[in-house]
Amino acid sequence: MSGFDCVASALVDTGWCVLPGFLSPAEVSALVASSQARRTDFARAGVGRAGGHAVNGEIRGDEVLWLDHARTADADPAASVAQGRLEALRGELNAALYLGLAELECHLAVYPAGRFYKRHLDQHRGEDTRVVTIVLYLNPEWGEDDGGELRLYLDDGRHIDVPPLGGTLAVFMSDRFEHEVLPARRERWSLSGWYRRRARV
Ligand code: OGA
Ligand code: MN
């Protein structure tokens, strides 16, 4: 049995879910420390489809480090713990919802102070295999005035703002919810990813 039953039922009910405590404070500290130690390996994230990978600071200002699951265990044990738990969640979502989620694709991300990511959808229409978006926050402390919330635009025209507080996991259907990252007033760390289905051939 699992600790994540609420995620599957929330995805059915509303299509999104925010789960505090997905990582413990100690796991968050370890992961942000190892991410900071790899800071020079991060690169500005691009926008657009896989082919047209252009950096555009007016749209998105984060710097990312893609994680290869096979290689992470040696390179970054703390990231490996998080990926392992996210793989367990993938298995549970498949068992509960038959979503056919074949893999987790993910990267670490840091938004330096002042950076943001404008409103967007994670799935490119008709082409993308991203089914479920996950974002795991890695900031041990986050104040009300620190900005950097995830703003998720709901179906009914309302939105919710999720502060990127360490250990919290945000989950939502990739093709359904536009969202943005509001300007952060201090450095903002996360692990973001997508459960993907296999591409049709
Ligand atoms: C993304 C994204 C949201 C967040 O990486 O596509 O929207 O809260 N991230 O970091
Ligand atoms: Mn996104």
Side-chain angles (χ1 to χ4, degrees):
M1 263 315 276
S2 66
F4 315 130
D5 302 344
C6 58
V7 177
S9 55
L11 287 185
V12 171
D13 288 346
T14 61
W16 63 273
C17 161
V18 175
L19 183 67
F22 187 79
L23 289 187
S24 72
E27 289 166 336
V28 169
S29 300
L31 184 45
V32 78
S34 70
S35 303
Q36 280 162 343
R38 303 170 82 186
R39 184 69 180 80
T40 52
D41 295 332
F42 283 61
R44 279 297 291 271
V47 291
R49 288 151 207 253
H53 187 79
V55 169
N56 183 342
E58 299 297 307
I59 297 177
R60 141 171 227 197
D62 56 335
E63 297 171 33
V64 304
L65 176 62
W66 288 94
L67 294 175
D68 174 336
H69 198 20
R71 277 194 256 138
T72 299
D74 295 331
D76 191 339
S80 186
V81 167
Q83 282 172 283
R85 200 155 305 152
L86 289 164
E87 284 294 347
L89 176 59
R90 180 173 70 84
E92 291 193 19
L93 294 180
N94 279 332
L97 304 177
Y98 306 103
L99 286 173
L101 307 172
E103 61 177 9
L104 169 68
E105 168 194 51
C106 61
H107 59 56
L108 296 163
V110 57
Y111 290 74
R115 302 277 180 85
F116 51 81
Y117 191 165
K118 291 282 196 210
R119 183 169 173 165
H120 66 281
L121 198 61
D122 282 347
Q123 192 182 83
H124 306 302
R125 197 170 306 133
E127 167 204 32
D128 210 302
T129 53
R130 292 172 174 177
V131 179
V132 177
T133 300
I134 57 97
V135 194
L136 177 57
Y137 297 108
L138 303 178
N139 310 290
E141 287 164 18
W142 199 264
E144 272 181 29
D145 298 329
D146 288 336
E149 294 91 348
L150 166 67
R151 176 163 290 178
L152 193 64
Y153 294 92
L154 305 181
D155 300 332
D156 60 4
R158 291 179 308 144
H159 64 254
I160 56 155
D161 287 342
V162 183
L165 185 62
T168 297
L169 182 72
V171 188
F172 54 91
M173 301 306 291
S174 305
D175 65 348
R176 190 163 147 197
F177 297 99
E178 293 189 350
H179 55 282
E180 68 180 298
V181 177
L182 300 179
R185 292 192 195 93
R186 45 181 283 215
E187 201 170 70
R188 175 197 195 267
W189 291 86
S190 63
L191 187 162
S192 353
W194 299 272
Y195 295 129
R196 307 187 72 126
R197 71 168 95 84
R198 275 186 225 295
R200 277 184 218 103
V201 276

